[in-house]
């Protein structure tokens, strides 16, 4: 084809000249002459536009689609066949049966904690609801010939529609970004040891998708015709090989309200995933003929959408449900959803990796859909943008989403749950307005699709814009996202319920009808009112909605000027019509009815025959045309004329319309021409009337004399056929162009796939010698801005502690077996606990791993094996501007709290630790709040209740440093759960440790509980940071779980764990209600006691039982009973043996432990006190034997301990099994603080400051810190002296 100038090319496409369509041959000749006579290009893009056009013309030779946003005229469409419906079905299956929807389904079990059944139902019906909208919008492509976002102009007008287009561009490019990330993850996962990076995978898929999109709709449909097949095969195999690991039994987690909220939120997410295709659904059917029946196209589209969405979502749900029961699945998911998908194929080994590649490349189909539509949408943004070729905009879009994919490749889950659901809101609001515009306002008049690019003939759009904003307000109030939960959504469950789609839809539907009525009354422009004056001159009763003569007249060109008298008549006509035909309260009531009906799920109102225009008029009752009205139109004339216009004005089958009109048409047109001839001559529009009369003569649709329609391309027939149908004119050759094109496309696909595999292998070979990238959770994964971090330590609590407590609680309260602890619902991983000096850590070394992120020796308080201090996360947080706090139930100077705010060579330096905690510290005061026990280390040694070695009054020193001080229940109550706190605050409520919870409940007027202290600290720190740019860091420890383990006391153990679980729930409640971003992370420093919920009491084969009911009747801890025995002996003396035995049996064992079958030997052990074990150990052993609870030690064990989090998504780096130092790394990274800088400052102080020369306490010998203690030293031969419990 010869290259044409840009202007002549515009003439071929029917572009506008001075805002008017170029239709006449004379105008085209003039423009062509200007094009050839001008030395410089005259279009806005100048010479660059000329180059674009020339390049475009060359590409057309290779079946390149040059058409952009221009409307496809009826004669440009291809002939309809049954294959069109098959193509539509396969297109939707190819697009949606993709890995991106599989990974979307994975969110149901992992983020919303839904059961398989609940998730599958939500996915199926959520996608069905969204697919109804998409299928409905798709049917507008053949009818209008316009792209989807052009259709928006007929409701939102010229300028407001640009907002909708921008939002749709965000959806399209965002979806493409997600596609690339998923594809990159899969390709990386199938490569050996992940040496093919995600980056390379992203770029490969982006380039292939760009290539297909650039060549346009013909190649697109060709690709979609076959892309579904390998996906169906691969996903079917995935079902088969992974179904055995689907967790079909685990129920939905949470209380009833939370379950409802999570179900609704996931349902909304699936709805949003489907409805996002609505913004481009019509784009791919504009080449279907206008005569295409809408109902069949609707149903085949719906079938393809629902099948592909459900098929993909459910396999994703199944894979993710296996994360909780299969360690391999859990490990794969922790590194990305794409890796979990590949893990599903793991049993197939090499073939499984091949299938992974197939699924990854299947994302190309899902990518080219939004990429193609984005190129069209960019052109809709303005006339200048329209001049830029579509393939340039496509390239621009590919660059944008590829860069975004590279930047967000590690945060796919966050992108899904935040971006995807958010985009669904505006689409739900948009469809509400589109539906009401058609059903209420366009039901009789239909649309004039030829004015798509004429601003003055489109609605103003104010009504639609206001309704859109009102709908957004409703969506914001009812949305539930990770980063924001609306006030209405908060009322449902622990995490809220996402109702933004439905409320936004309803609110927009409620307000749009009255707003649109008002807009029409004041501004007009449903059809241009000025164009009805010609008819109103002869028929004053006529109005714009009377079908259909006025609709026909509205298509005539209006003179550029109009005198005031005619304009006044137009205004009078508008006022008269609105006063007699439509009342605003009726429209408002209609809007209410529609919005309520749809919001309740009655269904989408589909008026599939709406574009027929006036088909519903009763021939026996055509108002206003019964008599001769000046034009000589009879009722019969009007009926025939109505049928003719119904077929012509709405681009229906012209030949049918002519046939139906029959002989009436010439009569009607003749009467119209004679009656308005004078006005015609006055306004210079006689040529227009002549064309109308000529339209009554039957002629071929593509007659040579037929005038060009606006935006029509006049390229020769062969090129149009190649572009629009993918088929050239049939040739005599047996193997024509279609055959060789199919061969070429297939060959290209094979070569491209082989090239990808070869590139992957080469890249893998190059990377083999390099260490794999550690990846992980970097700075981009942290929340931005203000945040809070609550770190909870369950000292000494191992996995068996949870089993023991869970069964106790279920037995005590008569709960079902699936009613679990709050902790159970937030388990995300486990931690390895060894220290540098032993395989079994103590609390000091364990807490140092948390606070510094570094291993150290047992007994070390944030000091490393080289005796140097390490900066803690709490100290770094304080220096960064965070508020800080500690809450414990043991001594505030004990190992765990000390490791966050002090440094000492040995944990026994509690006097020194107390001084550092109140501000006698190289960094100054680093704590703002302390609540717990350990008052004795703060009192001078000459004071009753002191345990210090010196006479320092640390409480007085604290007050000098600004601390307010409380030390009893009354003063604690005065804090009013935090609202009455003055920071900094020091609260010491016990001489040493606060009593076990099982005993404290009887002394509630003396000691506050862990839950009460936690809630007080949270409120105090939250209020204190309300106006700050930084949040707070709070460490809460359930300290005495450890002590119960040391004492082998199952009664104390279960009550301590329950108290910790209650505090954990309170922190979750605080985070859910707080407006500041925050996270709760919980773990244990170690396990204590070697607890087992089993015990072999005899030499015979053991019985598989343990009895939690034996713990229910125990009223006190073994420690408390030992104190009672000690006090009794101190007051009464031993007395007679019989009296003491009776007191022990009846008062302590029966009333205290609830044991009524104590043996004489057990009583004698306590009476004689000849045992090497403390009395508390004997009491604990009595109840442990009855419950058949086993213990292996009075010390710690090396058992891995659990990790918990309020949000697995935000704590993703901790999912799976980790070293305890990785928890410290997470705390530091989440707060984004610099512990290394703190370490450097501490070391400088240690080296240069005389004041803090000995601030680490007494030095320790090398035996304590050395790392070679894990070898047998002949310990079995050593005497078994007690010494138990000296170090906890």
């Amino acid at each position: 084809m010869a290259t044409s100038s840009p202007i002549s090319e515009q003439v071929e496409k029917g572009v506008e000249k001075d805002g008017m369509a170029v239709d006449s041959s004379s105008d085209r000749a003039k423009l062509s002459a200007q094009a050839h006579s001008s030395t410089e290009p005259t279009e806005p893009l100048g010479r660059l536009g000329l180059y674009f056009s020339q390049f475009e013309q060359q590409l057309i030779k290779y079946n390149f689609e040059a058409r952009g946003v221009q409307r496809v005229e009826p004669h440009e469409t291809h002939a309809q066949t049954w294959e069109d419906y098959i193509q539509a079905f396969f297109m939707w299956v190819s697009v949606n049966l993709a890995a991106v929807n599989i990974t979307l389904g994975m969110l149901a079990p992992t983020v919303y904690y839904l059961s398989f059944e609940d998730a599958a139902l939500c996915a199926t019906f959520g996608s069905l609801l969204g697919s109804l909208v998409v299928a409905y919008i798709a049917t507008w492509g053949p009818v209008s010939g316009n792209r989807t976002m052009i259709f928006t102009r007929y409701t939102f007008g010229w300028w407001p529609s640009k907002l909708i287009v921008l939002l749709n561009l965000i959806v399209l490019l965002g979806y493409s970004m997600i596609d690339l990330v998923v594809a990159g993850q899969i390709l990386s996962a199938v490569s050996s040891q992940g040496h093919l990076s995600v980056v390379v995978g992203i770029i490969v898929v982006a380039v292939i998708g760009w290539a297909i999109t650039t060549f346009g709709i013909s190649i697109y449909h060709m690709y979609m015709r076959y892309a579904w097949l390998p996906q169906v095969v691969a996903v079917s195999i995935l079902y088969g090989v992974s179904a055995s690991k689907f967790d079909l039994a685990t129920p939905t987690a949470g209380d009833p309200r939370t379950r409802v909220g999570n179900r609704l939120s996931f349902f909304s997410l699936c709805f949003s995933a489907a409805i996002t295709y609505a913004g481009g659904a019509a784009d791919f059917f504009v080449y279907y003929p206008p005569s295409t029946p809408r109902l069949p196209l609707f149903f085949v589209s719906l079938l393809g959408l629902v099948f592909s969405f459900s098929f993909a979502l459910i396999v994703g749900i199944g894979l993710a449900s296996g994360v909780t029961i299969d360690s391999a699945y859990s490990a794969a998911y922790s590194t990305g959803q794409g890796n979990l998908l590949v893990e599903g194929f793991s049993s197939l080994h090499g073939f499984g990796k091949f299938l992974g590649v197939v699924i990854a490349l299947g994302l190309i189909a899902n990518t080219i859909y939004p990429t193609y539509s984005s190129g069209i949408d960019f052109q809709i943004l303005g006339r200048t943008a329209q001049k830029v070729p579509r393939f340039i905009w496509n390239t621009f879009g590919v660059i944008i989403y590829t860069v975004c994919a590279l930047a967000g490749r590690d945060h796919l889950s966050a992108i899904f749950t935040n971006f995807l659901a958010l985009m669904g809101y505006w689409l739900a609001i948009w469809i509400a307005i589109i539906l009401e515009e058609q059903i209420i306002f366009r039901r009789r008049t239909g649309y004039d699709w030829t004015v798509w690019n004429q601003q003055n003939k489109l609605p103003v759009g104010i009504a639609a814009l206001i309704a859109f904003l009102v709908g957004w307000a409703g969506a914001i109030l009812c949305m539930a996202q990770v980063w924001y939960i609306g006030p209405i959504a908060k009322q449902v469950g622990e995490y809220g319920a996402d109702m933004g789609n439905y409320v936004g839809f309803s609110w927009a539907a409620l307000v749009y009808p009255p707003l649109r009525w008002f807009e029409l009354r004041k501004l007009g422009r449903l059809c241009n009112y000025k164009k009805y004056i010609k008819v109103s001159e002869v028929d004053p009763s006529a109005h714009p909605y009377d079908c259909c003569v006025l609709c026909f007249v509205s298509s005539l060109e209006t003179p550029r000027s109009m005198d005031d008298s005619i304009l006044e008549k137009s205004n009078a006509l508008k006022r008269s019509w609105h006063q007699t035909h439509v009342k605003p309260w009726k429209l408002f009531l209609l809007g209410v009815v529609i919005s309520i009906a749809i919001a309740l799920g009655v269904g989408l109102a589909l008026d599939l025959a709406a574009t027929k225009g006036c088909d519903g008029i009763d021939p026996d009752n055509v108002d206003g045309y019964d008599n001769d009205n000046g034009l000589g139109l009879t009722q019969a004339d009007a009926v025939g004329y109505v049928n003719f216009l119904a077929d012509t004005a709405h681009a229906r089958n012209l030949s049918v319309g002519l046939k139906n009109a029959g002989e009436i048409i010439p009569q009607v047109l003749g009467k119209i021409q004679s009656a308005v001839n004078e006005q015609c001559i006055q306004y210079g529009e006689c040529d227009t009337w002549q064309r109308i009369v000529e339209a009554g003569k039957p002629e071929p649709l593509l007659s040579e004399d037929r005038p060009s329609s606006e935006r029509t391309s006049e390229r020769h027939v062969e090129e149009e056929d190649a572009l629009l149908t993918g088929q050239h004119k049939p040739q005599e050759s047996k193997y024509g162009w279609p055959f060789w094109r199919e061969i070429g496309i297939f060959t290209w696909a094979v070569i491209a796939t082989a090239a990808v595999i070869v590139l992957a292998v080469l890249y893998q070979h190059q990377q083999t010698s390099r260490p794999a990238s550690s990846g992980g959770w970097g700075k981009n994964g942290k929340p931005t801005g203000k945040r809070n971090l609550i770190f909870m330590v369950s000292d000494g609590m191992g996995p068996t502690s949870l089993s023991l407590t869970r069964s106790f609680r279920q037995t005590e309260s008569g709960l079902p077996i699936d009613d679990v602890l709050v902790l159970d619902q937030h388990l995300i991983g486990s931690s390895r606990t060894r220290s540098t000096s032993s395989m079994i850590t103590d609390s000091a070394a364990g807490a140092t791993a948390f606070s510094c992120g570094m291993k150290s020796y047992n007994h070390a308080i944030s000091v490393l094996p080289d005796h140097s201090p390490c900066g803690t996360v709490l100290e770094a947080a304080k220096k960064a501007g965070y508020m800080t706090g500690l809450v414990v139930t043991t001594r505030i100077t004990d190992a765990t709290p000390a490791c966050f705010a002090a440094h000492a060579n040995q944990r026994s330096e509690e006097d020194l630790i107390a001084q550092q905690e109140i501000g006698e510290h190289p960094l100054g005061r680093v704590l703002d709040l302390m609540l717990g026990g350990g008052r004795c280390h703060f009192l001078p040694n000459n004071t009753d209740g002191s345990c210090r070695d010196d006479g320092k009054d640390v409480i007085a020193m604290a007050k000098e440093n600004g601390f307010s001080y409380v030390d009893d229940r009354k003063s604690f109550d005065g804090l009013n759960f935090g609202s009455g706190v003055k920071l900094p605050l020091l609260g010491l409520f016990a001489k040493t440790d606060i009593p076990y919870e099982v005993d404290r409940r009887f002394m509630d007027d003396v000691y506050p509980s862990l839950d009460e202290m936690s809630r007080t600290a949270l409120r105090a720190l939250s209020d204190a940071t309300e106006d700050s740019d930084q949040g707070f860091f709070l460490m809460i420890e359930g300290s005495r779980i450890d002590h119960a383990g040391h004492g082998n006391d199952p009664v104390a153990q279960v009550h301590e764990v329950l108290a910790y679980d209650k505090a954990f729930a309170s922190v979750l409640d605080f985070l859910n209600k707080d407006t500041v971003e925050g996270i709760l992370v919980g773990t244990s420093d170690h396990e204590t006691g070697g607890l087992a919920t089993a015990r072999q009491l005899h030499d015979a084969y053991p019985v598989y039982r343990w009895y939690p009911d034996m713990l229910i009747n125990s009223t006190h801890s073994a420690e408390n009973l030992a104190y009672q025995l000690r006090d009794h002996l101190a007051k009464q003396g031993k007395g007679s043996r019989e009296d003491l035995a009776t007191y022990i049996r009846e008062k302590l064992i029966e009333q205290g432990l609830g044991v009524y079958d104590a043996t004489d030997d057990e009583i004698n052990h306590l009476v004689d006190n000849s045992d090497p074990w403390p009395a508390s150990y004997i009491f604990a052993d009595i109840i442990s034997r009855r419950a058949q609870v086993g213990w292996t030690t009075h010390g710690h064990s090396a058992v891995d301990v659990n990790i918990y989090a309020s949000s697995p998504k935000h704590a993703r780096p901790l999912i799976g099994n980790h070293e305890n130092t990785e928890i410290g790394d997470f705390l530091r990274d989440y707060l984004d603080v610099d512990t290394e800088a703190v370490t450097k400052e501490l070391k400088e102080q240690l080296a240069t400051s005389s004041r803090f020369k000995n601030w680490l306490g007494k030095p320790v010998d090398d035996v304590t810190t050395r790392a070679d203690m894990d070898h047998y030293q002949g310990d079995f031969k050593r005497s078994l002296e007690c010494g138990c419990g000296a170090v906890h």
Side-chain angles (χ1 to χ4, degrees), residues 991-1040:
K991 176 182 177 181
T992 54
D993 303 321
I994 293 176
Y996 286 120
E997 180 63 22
V998 67
D999 305 317
R1000 191 209 62 81
R1001 56 184 177 167
F1002 301 109
M1003 298 177 280
D1004 189 58
D1005 57 336
V1006 180
Y1007 304 103
S1009 68
L1010 177 65
D1011 178 60
E1012 291 173 317
M1013 290 190 292
S1014 298
R1015 286 190 286 153
T1016 299
L1018 289 169
R1019 173 70 182 276
L1021 293 173
S1022 178
D1023 290 350
T1025 57
E1026 183 175 4
D1027 299 323
S1028 172
D1029 292 335
Q1030 298 283 33
F1032 63 82
F1033 171 76
L1034 174 64
M1035 194 284 294
I1036 301 173
E1037 183 189 31
S1039 316
R1040 302 215 65 195

Side-chain angles (χ1 to χ4, degrees), residues 337-415:
Q337 288 97 322
N339 293 328
L340 175 58
L341 195 155
V342 174
E343 180 63 29
F345 288 119
S346 60
S347 61
L348 300 179
H349 308 293
F351 182 62
K353 292 188 175 182
F354 169 77
L355 292 174
V357 174
V358 170
I359 286 186
L361 296 181
L363 283 163
I364 296 172
N366 197 264
T367 303
I368 57 180
Y369 175 99
T371 304
Y372 178 85
S373 289
S374 67
I376 302 295
D377 288 0
F378 274 119
Q379 290 187 323
I380 300 175
L381 291 176
R383 298 191 189 278
T384 301
Q386 187 175 323
K387 305 292 185 182
V388 178
R390 177 191 57 79
F391 78 91
I392 296 295
W393 285 124
N394 285 142
T395 304
F396 178 67
V398 170
I399 293 173
I400 290 177
Y401 65 66
T402 302
V403 172
C404 292
L406 293 174
R409 61 186 183 275
D410 295 327
H411 316 293
L412 179 61
S413 179
I415 294 172

